[in-house]
Amino acid sequence: MNAVTPMPATTASDRLLRDQSVAKQLLSGAILEENVFPYPAIGERDREVLGMIVESVDRFLDGKDAEFAKWDRDAHQPAEFVQSLRELGLFGLIIPEEFGGLGLSNAAYARVLSETSSHDSSISLTIGAHSSIGMKGLLLFGNDEQKARYLPKLASGEMIAAFCLTESGAGSDAAAIRTHAKRNGDGSWTLNGEKIWITNGGIADFYTVFARTDGPEGKITAFLVEAAWPGVSHGKHEDKMGIRASSTASVAFADVRVPPENVLGEIGKGFKVAMGILNNGRTGLGGGAVGGMKALIKRSVAYAQERRQFERPIAEFGLVREKIAQMTVDCFAAESAVWMVAHYIDAGCVDYSTEAAITKVFASEAMQRTAYEALQIAGGNGYMRDLPYEQYVRDARILPIFEGANEILRLFIALSTLKDVGASLKELRSALGSIFNEPIKGFGVLSGYAERRFTRATGIGGGGLKTPLAPELRPLAAIYENYARAAARVAEASLRAYGKGISERQYVQKRIADLLIDLFVGLCVISRADSLLASRPETRAQVLQIARIFTHQARRRMVRNIRGAAHNEDDAVDALAGAVLERGHYPWDVL
Ligand SMILES: Cc1cc2nc3c(=O)[nH]c(=O)nc-3n(C[C@H](O)[C@H](O)[C@H](O)COP(=O)(O)OP(=O)(O)OC[C@H]3O[C@@H](n4cnc5c(N)ncnc54)[C@H](O)[C@@H]3O)c2cc1C
């Protein structure tokens, strides 16, 4: 008998539609199965390299808890420790091997940050600000000469990088920056201005700086600036609530001469560069949050089993067990979404910014809940500084604020997807007109959005997911199908009701963003659960429990958000806030 060569299994990358976005399709009522199933597997090279890095990171960081606590108190990360991070290669994680880095994928990089965060968040900040944002612009937008000049030094850590966007008057409204670069006769630039709260600001040698260059080409330009150049200085180490050991400082530029060859990307396209960096870097933050959650689950489990009250370990009480279960569900969901987005980036997808924003919002808020509940399980002990829980709470608090405040990201999630629905509706209207004049063109448009809309309205051509999922997961997946259609109806109704004015309707946008967060994260959970049922059968029961718990919780939230579109207290909420804002204080007293 001839030996049968097994057909290679279809991988997640084979199916991927690289120019399409799952989130955007969800808002037209469809699930882009090609980009959700199967759950991506780790690449062979990543697996080999990761194993070694994670092991050496653990070997180096294990047993240093007392030092991390001291550095948190002293708000200081010793230079010798940063030197050890260099020696471990942690500044070269995502830099290609040809420049002396480790050439890790986005997914493997996020996994390393998850490991460092499980020991101490400040370490992840030092490494993450360098790689995720500090020198990411050079990787994404730099030319060959710039890469050859800087990447080897950035890979070895001889140069540490920082990302300089925020200013005192320009936080969420990053386009309002006032740092200014004026072009000189010889083509060089003179840079003036001050950036605040720059991670690694006090220790960096290399800054990616965004400055106003109002001119015919556009408004903002990105520059590569060396700390050693005349006119560059930094302020004191900021005294922060959390991540205290990591360097945060202002960075000032006084008549700094920047050579023409240090413009990063196109002149006038700096805002696009900044957003490209932030979108691409979000999985680093997500990976860090997942690492923190895993560490807290481990600590909480040990604490709950050891601590006895009412003559029993507190781990026997339902209200403690509920917290452990919720932490596990949150961690699994965040992890599933973060690594799905990392896969999109690694596989060369172009339209992943909405999904990246969704994972940042979900992972950062999941970490908040986990840190809060872990401290609650530890009770009064958790409140004391002898144990690390209070530090976790303080460290985690920055996650929903920086790299895009979660409010801004929710608006972005809603508006970036609504824009597509709006454009498609407009196209649909004109296509319906052209069907009569230009049938081919008209039906061409109908093959995309309108077809999905037709299916949604009539049920014809739908027929459920085509992916053969485990039978236990099918009813759960059907919930996401149903609610994607419901979310699409809400989106269309909102667009009809408010038109362009929807950009001012933040309560409406928040509900749509929250629907998309539940839908996208939920689908990642189902996809990962399906693959784990096959690859880790010994955890089958727990994986199914997680998928059921997340999906039913998500469904309750989605019901609330869909009902809220028609029945809500938005006007009352807005009026009350207006009254309190006008009065300036809470106006009642019981006595
Ligand atoms: C520890 C730390 C490290 C940082 N590291 C860096 C770094 O390395 N590089 C860098 O460039 N920046 C960095 N930042 C800055 C950070 O990115 C900003 O703090 C963040 O973008 C938010 O800006 P802001 O603090 O000025 O808040 P604001 O923009 O003043 O916002 C305040 C609040 O109002 C809300 N809000 C603002 N506008 C709107 C709106 N249109 N609709 C609804 N709500 C709105 C926000 O969501 C937020 O809740 C860091 C900040 C901190 C605290």
Side-chain angles (χ1 to χ4, degrees), residues 407-408 410-415 418 494 500-516:
E407 289 76 12
I408 302 297
R410 279 195 162 83
L411 305 182
F412 171 76
I413 292 164
L415 290 177
L418 280 167
S494 306
K500 279 195 184 135
I502 200 156
S503 61
E504 293 298 320
R505 299 276 172 166
Q506 295 200 343
Y507 307 111
V508 175
Q509 292 171 40
K510 179 169 184 280
R511 278 191 287 268
I512 290 176
D514 284 341
L515 280 166
L516 284 168

Side-chain angles (χ1 to χ4, degrees), residues 125 129 133 162-168 170-173 196-200 240 243 248 398 401-408 411 506:
L125 256 284
I133 52 178
F163 174 85
C164 300
L165 179 63
T166 304
E167 300 178 6
S168 60
S172 300
D173 186 7
I196 61 167
W197 304 334
I198 303 306
T199 307
N200 287 349
K240 306 186 292 281
I243 49 163
T248 310
I398 188 60
I401 296 174
F402 68 6
E403 292 194 26
N406 283 12
E407 289 76 12
I408 302 297
L411 305 182
Q506 295 200 343

Side-chain angles (χ1 to χ4, degrees), residues 218-359:
K219 292 193 159 114
I220 292 173
T221 301
F223 296 93
L224 304 175
V225 177
E226 296 185 30
W229 289 348
V232 181
S233 62
H234 66 78
K236 64 175 178 43
H237 182 108
E238 296 287 355
D239 189 8
K240 306 186 292 281
M241 170 185 179
I243 49 163
R244 288 171 52 78
S246 84
S247 160
T248 310
S250 60
V251 180
F253 309 95
D255 284 333
V256 176
R257 183 186 173 277
V258 183
E261 59 273 19
N262 276 40
V263 168
L264 178 65
E266 286 178 54
I267 294 170
K269 297 281 188 281
F271 196 72
K272 210 173 135 204
V273 170
M275 294 307 122
I277 294 171
L278 289 169
N279 285 332
N280 193 284
R282 291 205 203 290
T283 46
L285 186 149
V290 168
M293 284 188 258
K294 285 185 180 176
L296 281 169
I297 291 169
K298 193 170 173 190
R299 284 183 189 275
S300 297
V301 164
Y303 189 93
Q305 283 170 337
E306 198 170 304
R307 172 72 176 164
R308 294 177 71 87
Q309 285 293 280
F310 305 98
E311 295 169 13
R312 289 152 73 182
I314 61 168
E316 290 184 11
F317 299 119
L319 296 188
V320 173
R321 299 171 80 85
E322 183 187 38
K323 296 186 203 312
I324 303 275
Q326 188 62 52
M327 289 154 90
T328 308
V329 170
D330 268 337
C331 185
F332 185 97
E335 191 176 38
S336 306
V338 167
W339 272 275
M340 183 69 92
V341 172
H343 162 67
Y344 295 158
I345 299 173
D346 290 332
C349 287
V350 289
D351 194 1
Y352 60 80
S353 58
T354 312
E355 290 80 0
I358 287 174
T359 61

Side-chain angles (χ1 to χ4, degrees), residues 44 163 370:
E44 207 45 56
F163 174 85
T370 302

Side-chain angles (χ1 to χ4, degrees), residues 351 424 442 531:
D351 194 1
S424 304
S531 95

